[in-house]
Amino acid sequence: MRVFQSFDPEDNGFIPESLLEDVMKALDLVSETEYVSLMKSKLDPESLGIILLGPFLLEFFPEQDSGIPDSFPVYHYNGLKQSNHSERVEYVEGTALVLGFEDPMVRTDDTPVKRCLQTKWPYIELLWTTDHSPSLN
């Protein structure tokens, strides 16, 4: 993972497709032109021009733990009285489910809180302990 990150100094979670061969060489993986081309098409099936860290690790190092938890607790606090249910300031507890790199089977709301967390974990779902999703406003 450190080698991949050395080609991704801004920690974006992806590298340009053009660097895949260099990463593979740095990791002493097979880096023949035909194999690299095959891996580019497998790791970038939509031809976006990027190779994501997650699928890269799953392809070449499936036995290693990615370090990404399956779930973790989340807490949301909004100090604006009018933005809380019943106009009472309180925190809302929930669970974040990191679903990996596939299309999630569970679909929760599309709130600003979720969209914010998706900048770090694109396939995340939030399950709140209340019937109302928390507000950022």
Side-chain angles (χ1 to χ4, degrees):
M1 190 156 118
R2 282 188 214 121
V3 171
F4 190 97
Q5 288 174 329
S6 70
F7 288 87
D8 176 22
E10 294 177 7
D11 197 24
N12 293 318
F14 65 87
I15 58 168
E17 183 183 272
S18 60
L19 294 179
L20 180 60
E21 183 175 354
D22 295 335
V23 172
M24 292 172 70
K25 284 179 181 176
L27 289 168
D28 292 325
L29 297 170
V30 175
S31 55
E32 295 171 2
T33 304
E34 296 83 21
Y35 185 67
V36 172
S37 293
L38 176 70
M39 286 296 101
K40 282 181 182 180
S41 61
K42 185 173 184 178
L43 296 172
D44 183 19
E46 292 93 19
S47 299
L48 300 175
I50 60 171
I51 306 296
L52 297 172
L53 174 60
F56 178 85
L57 292 175
L58 287 174
E59 178 66 33
F60 294 108
F61 306 99
E63 69 286 347
Q64 286 190 352
D65 181 17
S66 68
I68 300 171
D70 293 336
S71 66
F72 56 90
V74 290
Y75 301 94
H76 179 271
Y77 174 81
N78 186 330
L80 300 173
K81 188 169 98 172
Q82 68 273 16
S83 295
N84 287 276
H85 183 65
S86 303
E87 292 195 3
R88 188 171 150 232
V89 175
E90 55 189 20
Y91 76 92
V92 179
E93 186 176 355
T95 301
L97 302 173
V98 180
L99 300 172
F101 306 101
E102 67 279 346
D103 191 35
M105 295 174 65
V106 177
R107 293 248 184 218
T108 59
D109 55 19
D110 186 34
T111 61
V113 173
K114 180 179 170 185
R115 286 193 302 272
C116 178
L117 291 172
Q118 283 177 321
T119 62
K120 178 71 175 171
W121 301 282
Y123 301 102
I124 195 167
E125 292 296 332
L126 299 174
L127 304 173
W128 299 104
T129 57
T130 63
D131 294 334
H132 308 284
S133 296
S135 171
L136 290 182
N137 302 322

